[in-house]
C-alpha cells in the first residue's frame, strides 16, 4: 500500500495565507498521495502550547511527522515542486 503520510499544518487563525496553504496542501495530497495521507490542522491561536513541540517559528508551517525524517515547510505551499521535494514525494533535483 505504500507509505502513509501524517501531516500537520500549523496556522494562526483563518487568515488568507492559512486558507491558501490548506487548499494547496489538499490539492497536492489528492494528486500525489491519494488515500495515503492524513492532515491535522493546528490553530495556534487556540492551542499555542502545541507550537513548542514541533518548534514552530513561522506560520503557516507544514510538518511531515511520518514517514521519517520529520520535515518542515514554511509558507503557503504554492510552490508545488518545493512541497513535493520537502515531503520526499519527489527526489531533489541537483544541478
Amino acid at each position: 500500500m505504500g507509505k502513509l503520510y501524517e501531516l500537520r499544518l500549523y496556522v494562526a487563525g483563518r487568515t488568507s495565507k492559512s486558507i491558501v496553504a490548506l487548499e494547496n496542501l489538499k490539492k497536492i495530497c489528492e494528486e500525489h498521495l491519494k488515500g495515503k495521507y492524513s492532515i491535522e490542522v493546528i490553530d495556534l491561536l487556540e492551542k499555542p502550547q502545541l507550537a513548542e513541540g514541533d518548534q514552530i517559528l513561522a506560520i503557516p508551517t507544514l510538518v511531515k511527522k511520518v514517514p521519517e525524517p520529520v520535515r518542515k515547510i514554511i509558507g503557503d505551499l504554492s510552490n508545488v515542486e518545493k512541497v513535493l521535494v520537502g515531503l520526499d514525494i519527489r527526489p531533489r533535483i541537483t544541478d
Side-chain angles (χ1 to χ4, degrees), residues 2 6 12-13 38 64 74 89:
E6 285 181 29
S38 66
K64 176 182 68 115
I74 297 169
I89 295 170

Side-chain angles (χ1 to χ4, degrees), residues 3-95:
K3 302 182 265 192
L4 186 66
Y5 284 74
E6 285 181 29
L7 308 172
R8 273 192 194 156
L9 182 63
Y10 287 88
V11 298
R14 292 191 52 78
T15 64
S16 58
K17 202 168 186 180
S18 298
I19 292 166
V20 167
L22 182 57
E23 287 172 358
N24 286 337
L25 178 58
K26 284 180 178 174
K27 199 179 334 174
I28 290 166
C29 287
E30 275 304 299
E31 221 169 280
H32 299 275
L33 298 173
K34 196 157 184 67
K36 296 189 295 188
Y37 69 94
S38 66
I39 298 172
E40 181 183 3
V41 178
I42 297 176
D43 188 336
L44 295 178
L45 294 181
E46 294 171 13
K47 299 177 184 164
Q49 70 278 12
L50 294 178
E52 208 173 299
D54 278 322
Q55 299 170 335
I56 302 304
L57 305 172
I59 298 295
T61 296
L62 174 64
V63 178
K64 176 182 68 115
K65 303 293 282 181
V66 175
E68 297 270 328
V70 171
R71 288 270 170 79
K72 292 181 194 163
I73 304 166
I74 297 169
D76 68 5
L77 312 177
S78 58
N79 182 335
V80 174
E81 193 62 34
K82 181 180 163 193
V83 176
L84 293 176
V85 169
L87 293 177
D88 290 328
I89 295 170
R90 184 166 293 164
R92 186 171 274 110
I93 298 166
T94 52
D95 297 329

